[in-house]
Structures are given as C-alpha cells and as structure tokens.
C-alpha cells in the first residue's frame, strides 16, 4: 500500500505537467520490479492525435525499454503495474488488456468514458464483434486486469476541475444553432 501511494504520487506529478501543457490532466507510470519503465501524460492537444492518452504513451515507452533490455514486452507487461490518475477510457482499457497488463491502480472514476467499470467493464468482460457480452469467448484477448480505484481520487478530480474551468484552445468552435433557417 505504501508503494502504491509512492507510485501514484508520481502519476499525479505527471498529471500536473499535463495541466501546465494545456492537456487534460492525466498522468501514469508503469512499474516493473520496483522500477518505473514507462510514464506518460496526455499529449492529445500538442500532437493533434486523439490516441496519445497517457497510457498509450507509457505503453510505447515500455516497449522501447523492453527492446533496449532485450526482453519480451508481453512477459514484462504481465508483471507490470500501471498507476494512473483517472480510470482508463474504453480505448486504453482495451489496449492495456490486449498488451497483457497485470494490474491497474487509478485515482478517480471516468464517468464519461471509463473502461474499468464506470461505463464498460473492458478490464474483465468479454465482448463479441457486435458488442454483445459473451461469457465464453470474446474478441478482447488477454487475462482480466486487476483494478484498484480511489487512490488519490480527490487530487485527480481537482486537477480535472482546474482544467475544465478554462477554455480548451484546441476545441472546435461551437455552432450557433439559434440562427437556423426554416
């Protein structure tokens, strides 16, 4: 538990970095054998790439680390824990499970896009190609993820509130629907 707090503190620091960079404040680290081998923060706005969530950035770093150390990334990820400030979205939960991740510790729930129980339970359910739940066989490979929620949740929520108080300079201009012609 003390180690979980230590690692989540580092994820919070990365979320603060994301906030300062004008990104949604989500930060994460990946820990293997008591060593950080990957870290990430959201990079969506700066890269103009909607897939550059903190978890995806960290997965890329872990894969590079494994190549540098001549290790199989699948076996490393099976023994790696992810610490992330916000519940992984559906995309990230699927990627983590597909990559073979072992454990996810997150701060606050993601009530809009959460893939670890808030919206969908990608972390432990199987879905067929048409999106229907399948108990025996599904298209999401990998073992279910162990998920622990609520670690530093209040800090994570406060960072999100801080971000959403301001304007997102990369958001599209809203359409004025009041000038509709009949």
């Amino acid at each position: 538990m003390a180690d979980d707090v230590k690692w989540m503190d580092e994820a919070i620091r990365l979320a603060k970095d994301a906030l300062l960079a004008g990104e949604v404040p989500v930060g994460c680290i990946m820990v293997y054998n008591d060593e950080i081998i990957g870290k990430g923060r959201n990079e969506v706005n700066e890269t103009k790439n909607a897939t550059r969530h903190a978890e995806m950035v960290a997965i890329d770093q872990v894969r590079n680390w494994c190549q540098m150390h001549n290790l199989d990334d699948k076996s490393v990820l099976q023994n790696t824990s992810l610490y992330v400030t916000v519940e992984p979205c559906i995309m990230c939960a699927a990627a983590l499970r597909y990559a073979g991740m072992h454990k996810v510790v997150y701060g606050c729930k993601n009530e809009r896009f959460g893939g670890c129980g808030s919206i969908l339970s990608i972390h432990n359910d199987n879905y067929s190609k048409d999106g229907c739940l399948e108990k025996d066989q599904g298209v999401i490979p990998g073992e279910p993820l162990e998920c622990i929620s609520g670690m530093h949740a209040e800090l994570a929520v406060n960072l999100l509130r801080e971000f959403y108080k301001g304007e997102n300079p990369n958001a599209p201009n809203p359409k004025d629907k009041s000038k509709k012609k009949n």
Side-chain angles (χ1 to χ4, degrees):
M1 183 68 170
D3 281 347
D4 286 347
V5 172
K6 173 179 84 170
W7 299 127
M8 189 59 87
D9 286 343
E10 181 65 19
I12 290 287
R13 188 190 64 70
L14 289 165
K16 288 176 181 178
D17 289 349
L19 180 63
L20 291 173
E23 297 283 349
V24 176
V26 178
C28 75
I29 61 166
M30 292 191 175
V31 178
Y32 174 73
N33 289 341
D34 210 34
E35 176 186 352
I36 296 173
I37 62 170
K39 55 176 130 179
R41 64 163 180 79
N42 276 9
E43 298 177 357
V44 171
N45 291 336
E46 67 188 79
T47 62
K48 308 285 190 253
N49 180 339
T51 67
R52 299 315 294 161
H53 291 196
E55 299 92 333
M56 303 302 261
V57 172
I59 287 172
D60 288 347
Q61 286 189 6
V62 169
R63 290 212 160 109
N64 289 337
W65 183 90
C66 288
Q67 286 178 344
M68 287 175 27
H69 292 85
N70 201 26
L71 295 169
D72 175 57
D73 58 347
K74 199 75 158 168
S75 61
V76 167
L77 285 167
Q78 288 173 349
N79 295 294
T80 298
S81 297
L82 169 73
Y83 296 86
V84 62
T85 57
V86 178
E87 174 186 2
C89 71
I90 294 163
M91 172 185 73
C92 290
L96 292 166
R97 185 163 170 187
Y98 183 79
M101 180 60 69
H102 155 69
K103 174 182 164 186
V104 175
V105 178
Y106 65 86
C108 65
K109 293 190 177 291
N110 182 342
E111 300 292 343
R112 294 181 68 199
F113 307 110
C116 294
S118 290
I119 300 300
L120 290 178
S121 295
I122 300 295
H123 69 295
N124 65 7
D125 286 340
N126 291 313
Y127 292 88
S128 69
K129 290 179 183 165
D130 62 5
C132 296
L133 187 62
E134 299 229 346
K135 286 296 179 192
D136 296 327
Q137 295 180 351
V139 294
I140 301 172
E143 294 298 315
L145 299 169
E146 174 189 356
C147 289
I148 300 167
S149 66
M151 174 101 24
H152 288 346
E154 190 172 331
L155 285 170
V157 167
N158 288 338
L159 287 169
L160 291 169
R161 283 187 183 132
E162 185 69 26
F163 176 79
Y164 287 112
K165 275 197 285 189
E167 291 288 321
N168 181 349
N170 295 301
N173 292 327
K175 294 186 176 161
D176 186 358
K177 296 179 183 174
S178 65
K179 297 180 182 176
K180 274 189 179 175
K181 293 183 181 178
N182 292 334

